[in-house]
Amino acid sequence: MWDTLWIDAHLATMTAGGPAYGAIRDGAIAARDGRIVWLGARGDLPGAPETLAKNVRRCGGGWITPGLVDCHTHLVFGDDRAREFELRLEGASYEEIARAGGGIVSTVKATRAATVDDLVASAARRVASMTRQGLTTVEIKSGYGLDLENELKMLAVASALGARAKVRVRRTFLGLHALPPEFVEDRAAYVQLVADVMIPAMAGAGAADAVDAFCEGIGFTADEVDYVFSAARANGLDVKLHAEQLSNLHGAALAARYAALSADHLEYLDDAGISAMAMAGTVAVLLPGAFYCLRETQLPPVAKLRAAGVRLAVAGDCNPGTSPIASPLMAMNMACTLFRLTPEEALVGMTREGARALGMLDDIGTLEAGKACDLAIWDVREPAELSYWIGLDLLRARVLAGETIEGEEA
Ligand code: DI6
Ligand code: FE
């Protein structure tokens, strides 16, 4: 007997190669022990619903998608940067503010001063907004501690959020985010500390799942990233990279050389970077929220990425500086409006490709028998509505590992 069977809904399985959205109209999906054990057309159920499952949930004729997967966030941080938002509206650029000691470094000060409890409380509010939009997996980066103790503190907060908000959390160590104030005279020493001390400590403690870096004029050079990536690999950690966001330092090609899970942002990506990513199977993570908030005009080369067969994920980049957005659906809307993704690509990007970008596609990201039963159940008539509406409450229920966490099905 199954634990739970959901009916009266269409399924957007998000599997590739079949109909749009991998749709199964008038479908049914069943879970046992937290995993999907059966899905298909309701007419193909092997018996009457009540004879098949302990709980039968009716979904009002809406759509069931995989729970949303936001594969790139920095949602743990102290304080906020509303003041910097005002300065930018008065004409200061993001880079000017960063070079003047504001920007990321100001969040580092606030994050170092915050306790674990402070950080859990402020971040829990942001995660709650996201789970109310069907989020079941989120990646959370460190990068506002910039010393071992505070980076570990941030990753511990990330883990605590998973249990508290009932989401799956992937933790990424972003040591090369900004140069901490105490190392301004000696960048090489900081890069060495990250590679030779912090990464082995993170790996030894099982504190992080992957390593990221900010490869940028105001961040770190490709050589510095290269050095840190070899340490990550030597310690058995996956890598990913903030690449080509504000300029082209050929970070995506470097990431591809390390078979990175993803290269993210990519506004200034060139043709060589696209081919390298295609060859390596590195996912392109598009972050339209940062593009929007920075009023960027250089578009990522979406059509060329598509043509080269590079997989496209969409993520929120929730952070206090360039993307104060706690809404995966808003990121999907922006991916369509600003980057010209189709609504189907946007949803694929926030489910299947987000999961691939986290190395979790075997377990989540599509509706398939054997995967974790993480579902978002929506009051929509067509899945395109998920990218279409702005600010409308669309979620009917959220299911994590077979358990209804939020909302209710009759
Ligand atoms: N790129 C971004 O958009 C964020 N980090 C990064 O490497 C910005 C983070 C911040 O401004 O606090
Ligand atoms: Fe980011």
Side-chain angles (χ1 to χ4, degrees):
M1 190 128 186
W2 299 328
D3 293 334
T4 308
L5 171 63
W6 289 266
I7 55 173
D8 288 349
H10 309 296
L11 308 181
T13 65
M14 308 316 287
T15 49
Y21 298 93
I24 302 176
R25 289 196 183 250
D26 196 7
I29 182 166
R32 190 171 50 220
D33 299 328
R35 309 202 78 86
I36 297 169
V37 287
W38 192 94
L39 82 169
R42 180 171 173 177
D44 293 339
L45 277 171
E50 278 70 20
T51 66
L52 296 169
K54 289 179 227 157
N55 306 300
V56 177
R57 310 264 197 216
R58 288 166 215 283
C59 305
W63 281 81
I64 300 178
T65 70
L68 301 187
V69 179
D70 191 332
C71 68
H72 179 143
T73 84
H74 312 242
L75 62 78
V76 172
F77 53 85
D79 205 0
D80 63 53
R81 304 235 292 279
R83 178 65 194 135
E84 174 181 322
F85 174 58
E86 293 177 318
L87 289 173
R88 279 193 280 116
L89 288 170
E90 287 162 19
S93 77
Y94 180 69
E95 279 143 305
E96 279 162 13
I97 292 167
R99 291 190 197 283
I104 295 174
V105 169
S106 65
T107 300
V108 171
K109 284 197 198 98
T111 305
R112 285 178 174 177
T115 65
V116 167
D117 288 351
D118 295 338
L119 292 171
V120 169
S122 61
R125 192 169 154 217
R126 301 188 270 268
V127 177
S129 294
M130 298 164 77
T131 56
R132 281 197 290 275
Q133 295 193 339
L135 182 90
T136 51
T137 298
V138 65
E139 184 255 18
I140 301 177
K141 302 177 195 296
S142 65
Y144 295 121
L146 307 185
D147 60 35
L148 183 58
E149 181 195 339
N150 283 294
E151 289 288 299
L152 286 169
K153 178 176 82 178
M154 290 188 68
L155 294 171
V157 170
S159 301
L161 285 167
R164 173 156 160 172
K166 299 213 166 55
V167 279
R168 298 178 201 275
V169 170
R170 273 304 225 227
R171 303 148 308 160
T172 300
F173 170 52
L174 177 54
L176 292 195
H177 195 196
L179 199 58
E182 60 277 18
F183 281 94
V184 276
E185 302 300 327
D186 196 355
R187 350 179 10 102
Y190 180 66
V191 174
Q192 250 176 355
L193 181 72
V194 168
D196 302 347
V197 177
M198 291 165 76
I199 286 178
M202 293 278 168
D209 306 301
V211 171
D212 192 355
F214 187 27
C215 186
E216 193 55 66
I218 54 168
F220 293 87
T221 66
D223 285 346
E224 290 166 338
V225 173
D226 197 337
Y227 187 72
V228 162
F229 274 7
S230 11
R233 278 286 183 237
N235 283 276
L237 292 171
D238 282 325
V239 299
K240 55 176 80 179
L241 189 64
H242 284 72
E244 276 79 276
Q245 180 185 9
L246 308 168
S247 62
N248 182 7
L249 298 189
H250 309 288
L254 168 68
R257 275 207 297 288
Y258 280 91
L261 290 171
S262 68
D264 304 33
H265 287 286
L266 304 174
E267 277 80 348
Y268 290 83
L269 180 64
D270 61 17
D271 291 350
I274 294 172
S275 326
M277 288 177 67
M279 295 277 286
T282 294
V283 176
V285 177
L286 302 174
L287 302 165
F291 175 93
Y292 166 81
C293 292
L294 293 174
R295 301 169 71 229
E296 180 59 76
T297 52
Q298 171 84 22
L299 284 160
V302 169
K304 285 182 172 180
L305 284 163
R306 226 185 243 132
V310 176
R311 309 288 189 151
L312 306 178
V314 174
D317 201 15
C318 178
N319 77 70
T322 61
S323 192
I325 298 176
S327 167
L329 296 180
M330 186 78 229
M332 287 162 56
N333 173 273
M334 288 177 171
C336 296
T337 303
L338 299 173
F339 292 173
R340 293 302 188 209
L341 266 63
T342 66
E344 184 182 1
E345 285 175 319
L347 185 57
V348 165
M350 194 62 83
T351 54
R352 185 180 79 218
E353 298 311 325
R356 192 192 309 274
L358 295 178
M360 296 175 80
L361 188 57
D362 287 346
D363 210 38
I364 58 165
T366 59
L367 304 182
E368 289 178 82
K371 287 198 178 185
C373 187
D374 291 358
L375 312 176
I377 304 175
W378 308 94
D379 281 323
V380 296
R381 287 189 301 167
E382 292 301 331
E385 287 181 62
L386 300 176
S387 293
Y388 160 74
W389 293 105
I390 298 177
L392 187 65
D393 187 9
L394 299 174
L395 190 76
R396 182 184 182 93
R398 185 174 78 93
V399 174
L400 185 78
E403 299 293 328
T404 300
I405 306 296
E406 228 127 345
E408 59 199 81
E409 308 100 319

